[in-house]
């Protein structure tokens, strides 16, 4: 297994390199970090030239890429245009985004699996029909629109109903949050609730549809008849024999979609004004800050690779016939 | 998202060993007849047709232009402004019509460009095999794993491309051709060994002609289905980009941009926020319903069709039981 993990990670290194080269080229071609400076009338050309030199912009792209790459290998992600060290900036933002994305993944998995299983076991029941129509609608609505609806209706109503503000619509936590642990956790939770819901609706729709179809296929298999024939209770038949096998194809999909969740976080963070990785990416792109964009890309790609690896491990755990 | 909608455990991404099935499916006759039997799909198609007409002609017929500034500021929906106006005095109906037009244009251009490009890559890879195939497919895999939004954002922010709907569409298309490339490659890999291809080669047809007029028509079904789903996915992608301020930008407008502008006013002037979002949902829902029906029409063994058939036979047997109970 150790060898398998090492092999997989080794294979993904060239992929990461190629991707980073591609994006580095695009960022440097597409964005000019000096636009702001140039657009001001009273800035002397010498100043612009000095800034250009300070940012190494007078060197060819390949050299700049090499400088960046050798820095990354040493754990140095460079400095942002604002003068901050990208590594510490990234670390700060990553915690914020990961909190949302991990909560969303967990919630989406639980809800998606539950909806999929019930939908398949009670096929064509009222529940199944309603949830299928609902999932269809969810897939057609832009996530940021649903998020806006949640924010301006659900949150305000709920807070009014409960008498004080429990659900928050802005930011990831109150600034300068202090107090007992429980209060702090409640504050984090209240801030986390809406963004997580906004982020999970899409994945829940997709995963539950997928699991339902895969459950239906497994439920008609012969070995389920065998399981029932030997007198297992229905819950064991469904959960241990059917679900376990139906989960196998879903793991691949979930790993693939972890990247989508990180991408979705870019938009959800904007809706709820979270200072996370996504906002970092958007500001990096709009200012042409190559180091920042590259850092986002590196972290996202690496987490997608790790997720695919985890999916393969889960695969062999769910299906003992798969040896890795 | 296209892959997501089509993803089914029963039919994994077609690979070489699953290809004979793909081909058998693609050429099954009666797809049109099966499509016509689905009332929901027909309704969705009618809605789409209506939206296309409204988007194409609405801007000319309606009394306000999307950039017109009327003296009515922030009025709620009324006879003179059926969707109200925004804080500047823009008529929302005119703006939503314009946004719908932009969304549909983006969706169609993305579908056409990404399908054509994906089919070309897949056909070349499948026909040439060997090194060309390996290089093209590794490249496809790479684009698949790259977090698309980074590239989208970077490219969409490109100086000259900024705010231009065609440039945005091309950027979105550049990130949505991979699924079609894989399907087409699979089909071509299998079919190039068939006797009718050999016959075509024997009478002197070149590789381009063989692929275009002898092989690709067999993959028409899956290609059409994928292209349909990519319309909806592209519309959602564009609205997301516009929302982030990286897509279509003022003075032009799009549904995503309208939502972004209307969002702060969602609870005070809800019409600014509701209408564009509902419009996107309506377009994408219709497109997806049509795509679903097309997939079932091209592949009648699929789940949906089986359900329909099972439900029909159940109704028939119930009716038979009722009549027999009555006569007894």
């Amino acid at each position: 297994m150790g060898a398998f993990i090492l092999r997989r990670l080794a294979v993904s290194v060239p992929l990461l390199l190629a991707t980073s080269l591609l994006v580095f080229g695009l960022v440097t071609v597409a964005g000019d970090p000096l636009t702001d400076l140039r657009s001001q009338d009273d800035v002397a050309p010498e100043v612009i030239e000095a800034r250009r030199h300070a940012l190494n912009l007078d060197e060819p792209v390949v050299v700049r890429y090499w400088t960046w790459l050798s820095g990354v290998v040493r754990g140095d992600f460079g400095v942002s245009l604002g003068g901050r060290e990208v590594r510490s900036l990234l670390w700060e933002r990553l915690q914020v985004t990961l909190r949302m994305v991990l909560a969303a993944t967990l919630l989406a998995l639980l809800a998606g699996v539950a909806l999929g299983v019930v939908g398949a076991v009670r096929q064509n029941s009222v529940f199944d029909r309603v949830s299928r129509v609902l999932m269809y609608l969810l897939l057609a609505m832009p996530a940021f629109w649903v998020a806006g609806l949640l924010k301006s209706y659900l949150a305000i109503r709920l807070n009014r109903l409960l008498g004080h503000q429990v659900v928050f619509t802005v930011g990831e936590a109150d600034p300068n949050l202090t107090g007992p642990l429980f209060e702090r956790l409640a504050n984090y939770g209240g801030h986390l609730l809406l963004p997580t819901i906004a982020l999970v609706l899409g994945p829940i729709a997709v995963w539950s549809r997928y699991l339902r179809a895969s459950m239906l296929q497994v439920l008609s298999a012969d070995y389920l008849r065998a399981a029932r024939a030997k007198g297992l209770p229905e819950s064991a038949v469904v959960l241990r024999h059917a679900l376990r096998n139906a989960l196998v194809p879903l793991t691949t999909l979930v790993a693939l979609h972890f990247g989508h969740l990180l991408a979705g976080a870019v938009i959800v963070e904007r809706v709820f004004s979270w200072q996370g990785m996504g906002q970092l990416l958007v500001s990096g792109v709009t200012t042409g800050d190559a180091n920042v964009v590259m850092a986002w890309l590196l972290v996202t790609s690496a987490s997608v690779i790790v997720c695919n690896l985890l999916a393969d491990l889960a695969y062999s755990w769910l299906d003992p016939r798969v040896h890795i | 998202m296209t892959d997501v909608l089509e993803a089914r455990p029963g039919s994994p991404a077609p690979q070489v060993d699953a290809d004979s099935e793909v081909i058998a499916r693609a050429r099954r006759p009666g797809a049109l007849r099966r499509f016509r039997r689905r009332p929901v799909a027909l309704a969705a198609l009618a809605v789409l047709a209506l939206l296309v007409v409204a988007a194409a002609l609405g801007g000319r017929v309606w009394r306000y232009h999307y950039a017109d500034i009327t003296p009515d500021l922030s009025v709620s929906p009324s006879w003179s402004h059926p969707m109200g106006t925004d804080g500047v005095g823009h008529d929302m109906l005119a703006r939503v019509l314009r946004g719908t037009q932009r969304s549909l244009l983006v969706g169609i251009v993305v579908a056409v460009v990404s399908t054509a490009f994906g089919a070309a890559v897949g056909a070349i890879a499948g026909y040439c095999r060997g090194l060309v195939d390996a290089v093209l497919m590794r490249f496809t895999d790479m684009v698949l794993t790259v977090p698309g939004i980074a590239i989208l954002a970077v490219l969409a922010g490109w100086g000259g491309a900024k705010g231009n709907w065609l440039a945005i569409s091309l950027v979105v298309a550049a990130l949505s051709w991979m699924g079609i490339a894989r399907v087409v490659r699979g089909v071509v890999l299998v079919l190039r060994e068939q006797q009718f291809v050999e016959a075509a080669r024997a009478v002197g047809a070149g590789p381009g002609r063989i692929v275009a007029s002898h092989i690709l028509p067999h993959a028409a079904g899956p290609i059409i289905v994928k292209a349909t789903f990519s319309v909806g996915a592209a519309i959602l992608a564009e609205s997301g980009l516009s929302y982030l301020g990286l897509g279509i930008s003022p003075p032009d407008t799009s549904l995503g941009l309208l939502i972004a502008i209307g969002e702060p006013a969602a609870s005070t002037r809800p019409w600014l926020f509701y209408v564009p979002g509902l419009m996107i949902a309506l377009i994408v829902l219709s497109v997806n319903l049509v795509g679903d029906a097309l997939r079932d029409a091209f592949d009648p063994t699929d789940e949906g069709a089986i359900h329909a058939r099972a439900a029909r036979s159940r109704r028939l047997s119930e009716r038979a039981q009722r009549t027999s109970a009555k006569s007894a």
Side-chain angles (χ1 to χ4, degrees), chain A residues 100 142-152 155 168-172 191 194-199 263-276 278-279 282, chain B residues 239-240 243-245 256 259-260 262-264 266 273:
Chain A
M100 183 199 304
F144 53 91
W145 187 61
V146 181
L149 285 182
L150 290 174
K151 200 164 132 176
S152 46
F168 298 85
T169 57
V170 174
E172 58 271 12
H191 282 89
L194 288 188
T196 310
I197 295 178
L199 196 56
V266 175
I267 286 180
V268 172
E269 280 174 15
R270 165 64 71 90
V271 178
F272 293 99
S273 325
W274 278 44
Q275 290 303 315
Q279 295 277 49
V282 174
Chain B
S239 69
Y243 178 81
L244 288 176
I259 295 180
E263 203 211 316
F273 178 69

Side-chain angles (χ1 to χ4, degrees), chain A residues 15 18-19 22-23 26-27 29-30 123-124 129 132 136-137 139-142 144-146 148-149 151-153 156 202 206 209-210 212-214 216-217 249 253 257 260 262-264 266-267 270-271 281-282 285-286 293 296-297 300-301 304 308, chain B residues 1 4-5 7-11 138 141-142 145-147 149-151 153-155 157-159 162 229 236 239-241 243-246 255-256 259-260 263 266-267 270 273-278 280-282 284-285 288-289 292 295 303 307 314:
Chain A
L15 194 73
T19 312
L22 177 76
V23 174
L26 288 177
V27 179
V29 172
Q123 193 193 351
N124 289 331
R129 280 159 201 275
R132 268 162 69 196
Y136 232 102
L137 288 176
L139 278 178
M141 294 190 288
F144 53 91
W145 187 61
V146 181
L149 285 182
K151 200 164 132 176
S152 46
Y153 291 91
I156 292 169
V206 177
R209 267 168 67 111
Y210 195 80
R212 177 179 172 277
S214 135
L216 280 177
Q217 222 169 39
L253 197 70
H257 282 181
H260 291 207
L262 284 171
V266 175
I267 286 180
R270 165 64 71 90
V271 178
L281 174 74
V282 174
V285 165
T286 36
V293 176
W296 186 91
L297 180 89
T300 310
S301 306
V304 170
N308 277 316
Chain B
M1 265 325 229
V4 166
L5 275 171
R8 293 232 166 144
S11 50
R138 286 300 77 71
D141 287 346
M142 191 185 91
T145 42
V146 171
I149 193 150
I151 309 243
V154 172
L155 282 180
W158 200 321
K162 204 151 193 180
F229 281 120
L236 284 179
S239 69
L241 279 180
Y243 178 81
L244 288 176
L246 298 166
L255 293 175
I259 295 180
E263 203 211 316
S267 44
F273 178 69
Y274 271 118
V275 179
L278 282 174
I280 294 182
L282 188 65
V284 178
L285 185 65
N288 286 351
L289 284 172
D292 248 21
R295 180 186 52 206
E303 196 201 358
H307 285 167
R314 202 168 48 235

Side-chain angles (χ1 to χ4, degrees), chain A residues 12-23 65 68-69 298, chain B residues 142:
Chain A
S12 49
V13 169
L15 194 73
L16 262 181
L17 279 179
T19 312
S20 68
L21 184 59
L22 177 76
V23 174
Y65 177 71
W68 174 80
L69 188 66
L298 213 58
Chain B
M142 191 185 91

